[in-house]
Amino acid sequence: MPDRSGAWIVEVLPDGSALVSWIELAGGQAAFKVRRVEASGQRSAAVTVTDLGTNRNSGYPRMARRGNEVVFAWTGTDDSLQVKTATARLP
């Protein structure tokens, strides 16, 4: 069973739902995941933003919302340790 205990981030949305992101460990690998949770408690399927590998020297991913856009940021797992980003639009 995956371990969902790492680095939770919650971003409350204007409609009362929330985006929740976390680091999930499974099979010796880490992944940055996100899902939407409605005010009723109903949860969407989890989506993997990126795989993080096993090297946790890269710190913790971040998530921030601006209007209808969500920005995800994390440190790459290659030797350069550059900051990587992805964006998503909210419906």
Side-chain angles (χ1 to χ4, degrees), residues 39-75:
S40 67
Q42 183 177 353
R43 299 178 296 172
S44 71
V47 175
T48 300
V49 177
T50 189
D51 291 321
L52 297 171
T54 57
N55 178 0
R56 294 306 311 131
N57 291 338
S58 59
Y60 295 99
R62 301 285 188 241
M63 174 180 70
R65 179 184 64 86
R66 181 175 179 187
N68 286 339
E69 186 174 72
V70 180
V71 177
F72 303 96
W74 65 95
T75 305

Side-chain angles (χ1 to χ4, degrees), residues 11-24:
E11 188 71 45
V12 178
L13 304 175
D15 68 359
S17 66
L19 287 179
V20 180
S21 69
W22 67 95
I23 297 173
E24 183 170 298

Side-chain angles (χ1 to χ4, degrees), residues 25-49:
L25 303 173
Q29 296 295 313
F32 182 24
K33 300 220 172 192
V34 64
R35 76 167 18 130
R36 190 174 194 152
V37 180
E38 301 296 331
S40 67
Q42 183 177 353
R43 299 178 296 172
S44 71
V47 175
T48 300
V49 177

